[in-house]
Amino acid sequence: MATKASDTYKLKPVAPYKVDPPGAIKKMPSPREMHHVHIFSDDNYDAMVEFYQMIFNGEITNVNSHENRMELTFITYDDHDHRVVVIKRPGWGKKPDRPVGLSHIAFAYNSLGELIYIYKTLKAAGYPPPHWTVNHGNSTSFYYKDPDGNEVETMLDNFSSLDTQDYKRFYQFTEDFGDMAEGNFDPDKMVELYESGVPDSVLLDREEVRRMAREGKL
Ligand SMILES: [Fe+2]
């Protein structure tokens, strides 16, 4: 049953990001940002809600129950009302191991220090380790699976946005770049090097990562 809001909330006038009068939009618009992810779950619903709160340091803005039909938990990690919605669908079943469709959702962070803090927090909480940790050249990325098996990438652009775009256009996947797997690294060794004071300018540089991985140091 829906509750009455009148005592707790007073409606405000709408305030969109921008107003475009009729005729102002003259070409196909691209999204301004990626806003949210909707995930159907079933048996692992509670674990999913816990996982997304932890990995995003998120906060629940609403839980909406519909008898036995479904329940939605809205989670945010910034000033938006929701970024991830986990939806319990009783009887929906499990995600197959090799589903066709979306492979992963990537979330950008501000620093290697942040990526490492997330890694250490999830590890301490007993979550399985990321199944792939790699320097792609353009990014440094940790790939996790949520309790239902959806892939979540936490990543950092290794250069400024435009330089990262140039790296993608002109260097990544060339012969000089080599095999993608040459950028793979051991996350525990990454933590060790980071905490021993090896600078980010080295730890985020794929050529350095490649060299250290070859030498067994990363
Ligand atoms: Fe990705």
Side-chain angles (χ1 to χ4, degrees), residues 142-155:
F142 292 60
Y143 293 82
Y144 300 91
K145 292 233 167 96
D146 71 18
D148 274 341
N150 304 296
E151 205 170 290
V152 179
E153 175 185 354
T154 62
M155 56 155 287

Side-chain angles (χ1 to χ4, degrees), residues 51-58 75-77 84 107 109 152 154:
F51 175 84
Y52 281 100
Q53 277 185 93
M54 170 162 285
I55 195 167
F56 292 149
N57 189 21
I75 299 169
T76 189
Y77 50 70
V84 181
F107 295 86
Y109 286 80
V152 179
T154 62

